[in-house]
Amino acid sequence: MKNKTVTTGKNAAPSLDERAQAVLRGLIERYASEGQPIGSRILSRDLNLGLSPASIRNVMADLEDMGLISSPHVSAGRIPTRSGYRVFVDSLLKVEPLAPTQIRRLREGLKPPEEGAEQMAGEVSRMVSKMTRMAGLVTVPRRNSAAWRHIEFLRLSDRRILAVLVLNDREVQNRVLEFDRDYAPEVLIATANYLNEQFAGRPLSTVRSGLLEAMRNDMRNLNELAQTALTLGERMFELEDAVEADYVLTGETNLMGFTELADLDRLKALFEAFNRKQEILALLDRAITAPGVQIFIGEESGYAVLGEMSVVVSSYGSEDCPLGVVGVIGPTRMAYQKVIPVVDVTARLLGTALNAGKSSAA
């Protein structure tokens, strides 16, 4: 299976010659395995480029000037910076394909969908965690994979509206929405007609992403009807998230084995974020509609608690109907070349298994 990696950083990478690329790649790969600052003598032996330690030191000095590596203390060794990891992931990474035996083990470990979505997500999360020796997570397939058929808005009082959403021709969901202003009945009818014209037949996941994208644009350029539709639609999905969004996380204790994450206060804040789930779910929501593997390095996630972490994720399902996300959370010095194919292949196999289950059920 060929993976397609979509990274999330700004790709304004500095231009590196072959020697600088080799030194940066070698330093990052060695640091990933040892977790200690890497010196020029070690790299001189590892790289087998015929470069003396002095020549390696000169290259490292250039890389440090570019902000790609740094010296954590008085040690002569260097460690990668977030920018260094980003250049590595975007330009220098050589992904190691999974062995056929590993793919077969993953395929055999996927339970039939009839066992239940949460149980299946838990099993997949455990497999990913075991293969990477980090924290594995899988979002439970949500109802937003269902297709939007029809919506109506009914005025209950001055500032309370009942939203009636029909999914897949049969399932009906009711949500009571509260606002700080009143909407006239004729406005609600026109708004419902507008949303039905725009989104009927589309998966809820793409409906939500479409609304979010429009909300990010300048609403002043939209007419009043479109603005109202976006406001009501976004409020409805906020409630939907609170009720249904969930993920299964396993192997988080593996993170305690990394020295840079062993600080008790840092671990406490991280585990509290895992338990609250809102921050992690918001990050995964950004990834579910994007193709391929996405990599958030350090502060790219947007959350301080993940500042020393990297998150590698890929959506499962299909491009037209994504069902959820498979991912790995670990330190920024993770072996990306090994983690990426695990996430990518697992997401593909999980999507295939779920689609096969739908076909057999039909």
Side-chain angles (χ1 to χ4, degrees), residues 16-237:
L16 302 178
D17 59 29
E18 291 185 7
R19 192 165 62 169
Q21 290 180 18
V23 170
L24 181 59
R25 182 189 297 115
L27 186 147
I28 288 178
E29 291 178 349
R30 184 73 179 233
Y31 182 68
S33 64
E34 296 185 0
Q36 297 295 326
I38 308 301
S40 57
R41 291 187 180 278
I42 292 176
L43 287 178
S44 181
R45 292 196 306 267
D46 285 356
L47 298 179
N48 194 29
L49 294 176
L51 297 176
S52 66
S55 296
I56 296 289
R57 280 195 296 275
N58 289 334
V59 176
M60 292 171 70
D62 292 338
L63 292 173
E64 189 166 7
D65 289 342
M66 296 178 189
L68 303 181
I69 64 176
S70 67
S71 177
H73 40 68
V74 294
S75 166
R78 300 292 185 271
I79 64 174
T81 63
R82 188 205 62 77
S83 296
Y85 282 121
R86 175 50 60 194
V87 170
F88 174 74
V89 167
D90 287 351
S91 307
L92 307 178
L93 186 66
K94 297 180 180 178
V95 173
E96 299 178 7
L98 295 186
T101 54
Q102 293 176 301
I103 296 176
R104 184 167 59 251
R105 194 179 308 125
L106 279 172
R107 184 178 285 113
E108 293 172 351
L110 291 173
K111 304 296 183 182
E114 297 79 41
E115 287 204 0
E118 188 167 354
Q119 290 80 359
M120 190 173 190
E123 180 60 29
V124 174
S125 177
R126 282 187 289 273
M127 288 192 297
V128 169
S129 175
K130 184 177 181 179
M131 292 184 71
T132 62
R133 298 182 182 179
M134 285 178 269
L137 64 86
V138 178
T139 58
V140 178
R142 290 158 56 179
R143 289 183 182 178
N144 63 5
S145 61
W148 172 304
R149 294 303 176 193
H150 185 78
I151 194 169
E152 291 184 12
F153 295 111
L154 303 176
R155 187 170 179 270
L156 299 178
S157 61
D158 288 348
R159 298 183 179 181
R160 296 173 71 244
I161 296 170
L162 175 66
V164 182
L165 178 62
V166 181
L167 305 173
N168 297 333
D169 295 326
R170 293 183 301 275
E171 182 180 354
V172 178
Q173 295 185 10
N174 298 319
R175 295 284 185 270
V176 177
L177 313 179
E178 297 186 8
F179 297 92
D180 57 4
R181 56 156 293 185
D182 187 21
Y183 289 98
E186 58 270 20
V187 172
L188 297 179
I189 293 173
T191 300
N193 291 339
Y194 174 87
L195 289 171
N196 289 327
E197 290 173 2
Q198 295 291 319
F199 300 117
R202 292 175 56 179
L204 286 190
S205 57
T206 62
V207 173
R208 188 177 195 279
S209 63
L211 288 170
L212 287 173
E213 183 63 28
M215 293 288 284
R216 282 192 288 265
N217 294 330
D218 189 353
M219 287 185 63
R220 290 173 299 181
N221 294 329
L222 302 176
N223 60 40
E224 184 176 355
L225 176 59
Q227 292 184 32
T228 303
L230 292 176
T231 301
L232 269 62
E234 176 63 11
R235 184 72 184 103
M236 181 181 66
F237 278 110

Side-chain angles (χ1 to χ4, degrees), residues 218-265:
D218 189 353
M219 287 185 63
R220 290 173 299 181
N221 294 329
L222 302 176
N223 60 40
E224 184 176 355
L225 176 59
Q227 292 184 32
T228 303
L230 292 176
T231 301
L232 269 62
E234 176 63 11
R235 184 72 184 103
M236 181 181 66
F237 278 110
E238 285 177 3
L239 293 179
E240 191 76 14
D241 283 347
V243 173
E244 296 187 6
D246 199 7
Y247 65 81
V248 178
L249 179 75
T250 58
E252 56 266 51
T253 55
N254 289 337
L255 303 178
M256 300 172 67
F258 295 92
T259 55
E260 65 268 43
L261 303 179
D263 179 79
L264 290 180
D265 290 337

